[in-house]
Amino acid sequence: MKLLVSPTERRLLRLLGERGLSSSLPERFGADILVFTPRGRLGIQRKEFPSDLFASLGDSRLTRELALMQGLEFKWLIVEGTPTYTSDGYLMDENYSRWTRTKVRNLLRSVEIQQGVHVEGSASTAELGAGPTRWIRIPLPRP
């Protein structure tokens, strides 16, 4: 099964090798990866945590991408990176230290509950590169 991957995702394309095919089609659906499954289209948007996720909130990219993903039968947001928090729950990142574990959790829950986009965590792009074909074997619920 070929995965259509946005041309901007060069590293992911390299990691996927022959499983990935460069295409601008995923971007029309707000995704970085687009897969045609027997039950419908699966769009995967990936955001590196914290920089890419928070930058996409600030410039409204995430809002636009989530809106475009509504045209898909299945939609996933993959958040890459492992957050580290202080003992009182603040993100240990000098640029995003005002974000608490609760705020991050609530943000991701709102994406899942309000937008209907499944949120998945991934430690790195390399882990994601190994994952999509394995995830696609998981039986998808009927839309």
Side-chain angles (χ1 to χ4, degrees), residues 97-114:
S97 60
R98 67 182 176 87
W99 283 84
T100 64
R101 180 187 317 266
T102 301
K103 285 181 181 179
V104 171
R105 190 178 299 138
N106 288 344
L107 167 67
L108 299 178
R109 283 181 181 155
S110 71
V111 168
E112 191 143 14
I113 295 167
Q114 294 176 351

Side-chain angles (χ1 to χ4, degrees), residues 107-139:
L107 167 67
L108 299 178
R109 283 181 181 155
S110 71
V111 168
E112 191 143 14
I113 295 167
Q114 294 176 351
Q115 301 294 323
V117 176
H118 174 70
V119 178
E120 183 87 29
S122 174
S124 66
T125 303
E127 183 180 272
L128 176 61
T133 53
R134 183 181 66 240
W135 295 332
I136 292 161
R137 289 188 197 122
I138 297 170

Side-chain angles (χ1 to χ4, degrees), residues 49-51 54 84-86 90-99:
F49 185 86
S51 58
F54 293 141
T84 306
Y85 296 95
T86 63
Y90 285 87
L91 187 60
M92 291 181 65
D93 184 291
E94 63 183 40
N95 297 314
Y96 305 104
S97 60
R98 67 182 176 87
W99 283 84

Side-chain angles (χ1 to χ4, degrees), residues 36-49:
F36 290 88
T37 74
R39 294 198 181 157
R41 299 162 299 177
L42 165 64
I44 301 172
Q45 174 57 246
R46 58 171 287 280
K47 297 290 180 196
E48 290 179 22
F49 185 86

Side-chain angles (χ1 to χ4, degrees), residues 11-93:
R11 182 163 185 250
L12 185 56
L13 277 165
R14 280 194 311 275
L15 288 168
L16 289 170
E18 292 181 6
R19 296 174 293 160
L21 179 65
S22 180
S23 171
S24 60
L25 187 59
E27 295 169 358
R28 292 187 201 171
F29 294 98
D32 292 319
I33 303 169
L34 184 64
V35 183
F36 290 88
T37 74
R39 294 198 181 157
R41 299 162 299 177
L42 165 64
I44 301 172
Q45 174 57 246
R46 58 171 287 280
K47 297 290 180 196
E48 290 179 22
F49 185 86
S51 58
D52 187 29
L53 178 65
F54 293 141
S56 69
L57 280 173
D59 65 15
S60 299
R61 273 182 295 132
L62 184 61
T63 302
R64 182 184 58 80
E65 291 160 347
L66 293 174
L68 289 170
M69 290 180 88
Q70 297 308 307
L72 297 167
E73 289 78 18
F74 306 100
K75 28 206 172 287
W76 288 1
L77 171 65
I78 307 295
V79 180
E80 293 178 7
T82 306
T84 306
Y85 296 95
T86 63
S87 60
D88 52 350
Y90 285 87
L91 187 60
M92 291 181 65
D93 184 291

